[in-house]
Amino acid sequence: MRLKMWGVRGSIPTPGPDTVEFGGNTSCYEVRAGETLIILDGGTGLRLLGQSLLREMPFEAWMFFSHVHWDHIQGFPFFTPAFIRKNTIHLFGGLNVSRTLEETLAGQMDYPSFPVHLSEMGANMTFRDLYEGEVVTIGRKQDVRVSNARGNHPNGVYAYRIDHEGKSIVYVTDSEHYAIVDPKLRKLAQGADILIFDAMYTPEEYAGEVGGGPKTGWGHATFVAGCELAHAAGVKQLILHHHDPLQTDAMVRDKERRARELFPNTIAAKEGMIIEI
């Protein structure tokens, strides 16, 4: 399996000199599981991924949305391959909002917000709304298994686990921690090779000691919670994801350093980084 990071920031894109090292695009990851192309979330990083995929057309991809808050879908209208015929894109999202995934993606492209409607995109697109705990088998060879669990976020969120030939990647974003390790996420992440975790805040930021008021109930976690989940689930590597818009590159590096004191095999997500397992 091969993982590439296209968008690792949370809430809103943050371009500028203070974020150039780790990147300012919002959530998007590319996973290659054998011959199967999987896309996790459609934040602004999706635009860059789309440009890189132009040389592979026509292609078939399986795309999983954690939820439909703006920073996880706003790259979709700028995903160039979705406008090109002969490409096939299967889109999955959780049954946790008032509208389906298709209705939500179409809604952000309605007039006057965007000049081109979803129905005018040229690619062959199929939509599938997932139930909590549902497992789907994907890929042309049907050799990739994707399972899910609900996280703790306003309006709901799904975490995903991708399994292929004994390797596994778990993607947990926008899920606030509890006083104990979330048993659903612990089960989902058990023994995973890679755990991508929403470590948006430091404990001080979460408590409101710095960076404004307390973040309780906002639906995001700390790097400490990520390390606790990594230990509890016995994962091999932890990736700190969804960096806060206020965090500069220096602050992300410090967050990474502090996390490594708790779980040594930890890295902060960085745009363009590739990991093979």
Side-chain angles (χ1 to χ4, degrees), residues 66-240:
S66 61
H67 62 314
V68 293
H69 284 167
W70 196 21
D71 53 324
H72 295 260
I73 65 172
Q74 63 193 153
F76 190 74
F78 302 92
F79 185 46
T80 302
F83 291 88
I84 300 174
R85 298 185 184 280
K86 297 186 179 180
N87 291 329
T88 299
I89 307 170
H90 308 282
L91 302 103
F92 298 80
L95 280 170
N96 54 11
V97 291
S98 58
R99 297 193 295 176
T100 67
L101 174 62
E102 182 175 7
E103 290 170 338
T104 303
L105 293 180
Q108 75 165 339
M109 299 175 72
D110 277 345
Y111 176 84
S113 298
F114 200 74
V116 181
H117 193 262
L118 179 73
S119 60
E120 298 176 80
M121 293 175 128
N124 175 35
M125 289 187 280
T126 65
F127 291 85
R128 171 79 179 278
D129 297 301
L130 298 168
Y131 293 92
E132 181 181 11
E134 184 177 357
V135 178
V136 293
T137 303
I138 64 171
R140 292 179 180 175
K141 296 181 179 179
Q142 294 288 289
D143 58 349
V144 182
R145 184 176 184 267
V146 182
S147 48
N148 72 68
R150 278 187 184 269
N152 179 25
H153 193 66
N155 305 126
V157 69
Y158 275 22
Y160 294 105
R161 178 183 179 121
I162 304 168
D163 286 285
H164 174 67
E165 294 187 349
K167 303 293 184 180
S168 54
I169 295 173
V170 175
Y171 178 62
V172 179
T173 189
D174 295 60
S175 188
E176 189 167 356
H177 54 288
Y178 300 105
I180 61 170
V181 173
D182 188 327
K184 291 183 179 179
L185 298 183
R186 177 177 179 172
K187 181 179 179 181
L188 187 74
Q190 195 67 44
D193 291 282
I194 292 176
L195 169 62
I196 304 167
F197 184 82
D198 180 336
M200 189 166 186
Y201 303 126
T202 66
E204 297 81 11
E205 290 168 340
Y206 183 75
E209 297 169 8
V210 296
K215 308 301 189 296
T216 307
W218 287 26
H220 302 281
T222 66
F223 70 81
V224 174
C227 293
E228 290 174 347
L229 175 59
H231 276 298
V235 306
K236 295 178 182 176
Q237 184 173 38
L238 172 65
I239 298 176
L240 307 179

Side-chain angles (χ1 to χ4, degrees), residues 8-10 22 200 240-245 247 252 255 268-269:
V8 302
R9 187 69 54 168
F22 289 94
M200 189 166 186
L240 307 179
H241 164 63
H242 210 271
H243 308 312
D244 187 272
Q247 291 177 354
V252 174
K255 181 171 65 173

